[in-house]
Amino acid sequence: MKSNLLTRGVLMTAVSTLAITLSACGSDEPAEDTGAAADTSTSIESEAPESSAMPTSDEPFGEGCAAVPAEGEGSFTGMTDDPVATAASNNPALSTLVQAVTAANLGDTLNTTDDITVLAPANPAFEAVPADALNALLADTPQLTTVLTHHVIPGRLAPDELAGTHTTLNNDEVTIEGSGEDFSIAADGTVVGMEASVICGNVQTANATVYIIDQVLAPAAS
């Protein structure tokens, strides 16, 4: 109980906001001739679902993705062939999270665990924390480990699997709401009591699917 109160107190000022966008569309035209035109229409209809589904299933989404480098090891393409802790270390948008993972000695664990989903707080989620409080948390390995492992879910969750209640590596639960490309975690699941949003989702690394979020999540009370 005391440990969880301290965890919440240490992080109680972290907050940041961003939005999410992405869309796809298709079209159909009536045919005059019922011969060859009918074949063309059939062909267009069978291809349309594929092209509209691809951005949701295969591509990162969200305005927060603008903070990710366009090229190099820290880009979306560069991250795909590195395990998650290494990939994050090359991404400047996640530098504070990497510092926390290093302080908790979790880098090797995250890199060698197959098929995980990481809810990764972006730098602004940590920037509002007073330096003394953040340094205290970084120095407290058990509490830091509890906080960080609460952000990791076994299994790689695609966007259409993300909504729901999931068991974390901290052996507690996190509930994610939403659909499509709009996902959130209720205010009572964050350390600042404000709703968290996915600001850059479906980022792929060699062993993980990453959803960058704008709040630090609160581990469940023991």
Side-chain angles (χ1 to χ4, degrees):
M1 171 81 163
K2 191 169 184 182
S3 170
N4 280 284
L5 287 175
L6 181 55
T7 301
R8 289 174 177 269
V10 165
L11 293 170
M12 196 53 64
T13 54
V15 63
S16 169
T17 56
L18 281 168
I20 300 174
T21 61
L22 205 68
S23 62
C25 61
S27 65
D28 231 19
E29 282 186 39
E32 257 180 54
D33 187 67
T34 52
D39 290 338
T40 304
S41 172
T42 302
S43 161
I44 290 172
E45 282 176 14
S46 65
E47 289 179 288
E50 227 178 300
S51 59
S52 75
M54 277 182 68
T56 301
S57 60
D58 295 341
E59 301 294 332
F61 59 83
E63 285 191 358
C65 294
V68 176
E71 53 187 32
E73 286 300 304
S75 67
F76 293 129
T77 301
M79 292 174 73
T80 58
D81 58 3
D82 288 324
V84 64
T86 301
S89 72
N90 292 320
N91 188 332
L94 299 175
S95 60
T96 309
L97 176 61
V98 170
Q99 180 187 358
V101 167
T102 302
N105 297 311
L106 286 174
D108 287 343
T109 298
L110 294 176
N111 275 345
T112 59
T113 302
D114 291 332
D115 296 332
I116 53 178
T117 296
V118 178
L119 306 173
N123 288 346
F126 294 98
E127 285 169 3
V129 180
D132 289 349
L134 182 57
N135 289 336
L137 179 65
L138 294 175
D140 189 335
T141 301
Q143 288 191 25
L144 185 59
T145 300
T146 295
V147 171
L148 294 176
T149 54
H150 180 68
H151 291 72
V152 183
I153 301 167
R156 295 180 79 134
L157 299 176
D160 61 359
E161 302 170 312
L162 190 60
T165 298
H166 307 283
T167 300
T168 74
L169 287 190
N170 189 45
N171 291 318
D172 56 10
E173 294 181 338
V174 60
T175 297
I176 303 168
E177 300 172 343
S179 62
E181 295 170 354
D182 186 4
F183 297 97
S184 63
I185 297 163
D188 61 3
T190 72
V191 299
V192 296
M194 295 180 66
E195 184 179 81
S197 296
V198 172
I199 59 175
C200 183
N202 204 30
V203 178
Q204 301 301 318
T205 76
N207 69 323
T209 299
V210 178
Y211 294 87
I212 300 175
I213 58 177
D214 62 1
Q215 299 280 350
V216 177
L217 304 182
S222 307

